[in-house]
Amino acid sequence: MTEAIKFVLPDDALPRYWYNIVADLPEPPTPVLHPGTGQPVGPADLAPLFPDAIIEQEVSAEREIEIPGPVLDVLRQWRPSPLYRARRLEKKLDTPARIYYKYEGVSPAGSHKPNTAVAQAFYNREAGVKRITTETGAGQWGSALALAGSLFGLEIEVFMVRVSFEQKPYRRAFMETFGATCVASPSDLTESGRAILKEHPDSTGSLGIAISEAVERAATRDDTKYALGSVLNHVLMHQTIIGQEALRQFELADDYPDVVIGCTGGGSNFAGIAFPFLGGKLRGEQDIEVVAVEPANCPSLTRGRYAYDFGDTAKLTPLVKMHTLGSAFVPPGFHAGGLRYHGMAPLVSQLTHLGEIKPRAYSQAECFEAGVLFARSEGIIPAPEANHAVKGAIDEALACRESGEARAILFNLCGHGNFDMQAYTDYFAGKLSDQPYDEAELAMALAGLPVVETG
Ligand SMILES: Cc1ncc(COP(=O)(O)O)c(C=O)c1O
């Protein structure tokens, strides 16, 4: 094994295909249902929101889907992203474990989100679309789509969850620099937003509410489509470029991970790093343990129900089978805004249900403690979302210290936290309260899950 700390691939090693785990699932993926009929949705139901090429990818069972040249041309600017060996962190933890992290913060928006934003902007531009609406939690996805929109000549409108809009003014400025419009959600621009504001004038917002607003705008304008930054099959697939690069980088390191860890909001960065490895396991090629880390205050995988639910609060989307806290659930306003989503990607949910993914939940204070330890060892300040994966990796490494096992741990450092310094300031000032979610509200949201006959 080399003493290297950085494993870098040449430009021409950029993957040419996205990996679709649907081809390797032990059972078919769960169908997406029309809420009115309870029947599987067809392409015509999705056409007001997405261009045909995206709809085809959403339902595809092909193992590999070719990445278009113009998408590769943009991604090549920062990809392949580096894989690091965290040797200083290993020393600090006094662990026999080998800790590796794939760093997605090298993208111009600072996270993994441009991997799919660029692809989605490209397909929309090809279909003659002029405007795209979207939601954003922490601002990372909105930033990524703003950037991709400006590269492909599209107008972008972003509904940003109000609590993050207030916490992260520079994210808004980032989006505006690329010509996008950024609106605090709930807003008075949509029926869904006005309905929420009428009942809860001080609503902090949530990803579920912001999705409703963005979907409503796209569904009611002919020149406008919608883009989602996570959850859907095609988004997870666009992110698999991360794990495919990591597989090649582990060859350079002459090593292979025993465990792969990612944080989960809607599931896309986690799937991006984990699915190419998990696919190998499902095909019987290599064993691997896969851990999904979520916030204790929005614990869809560890506390949610595996059931059909709406993807948004106003119930405008089709029904998907996923781990959900109920679409009416509004999580408390903690700092990892990208993880404040009531549901989880159907593919991540199904694989968790099948026992292939182990979910784990942590409070935000313990995640920031881990993030600061990481920053002081490795020199990179993680995004608050990524701190969940950092905490998961540190716990694995500490377990190795106890057991004496020298396991290889890989985690996705899915974004930097350079726009999230208020969160760190609050943490250092002891102001990061872990306000728990309301159990009664969760019970009510779960009781309100739609009843679906799946004959
Ligand atoms: C840095 C970062 N990590 C993770 C997430 C969560 O999304 P996902 O689970 O789709 O990766 C977000 C979402 O905004 C994010 O900005």
Side-chain angles (χ1 to χ4, degrees), residues 36-56:
T37 63
Q39 295 301 308
V41 295
D45 297 305
L46 300 173
L49 298 183
F50 303 108
D52 291 348
I54 294 276
I55 297 172
E56 272 167 38

Side-chain angles (χ1 to χ4, degrees), residues 110-113 136-141 207 229-231 235-236 263-270 337-339 344 383-386 414-416:
S111 77
H112 63 294
K113 297 284 182 183
T136 195
Q140 290 268 21
W141 166 241
L207 274 169
S230 188
V231 179
V235 181
L236 272 52
C263 70
T264 45
S268 75
N269 89 84
F270 165 78
L339 307 186
M344 183 51 61
E385 292 80 8
C414 54
H416 67 64

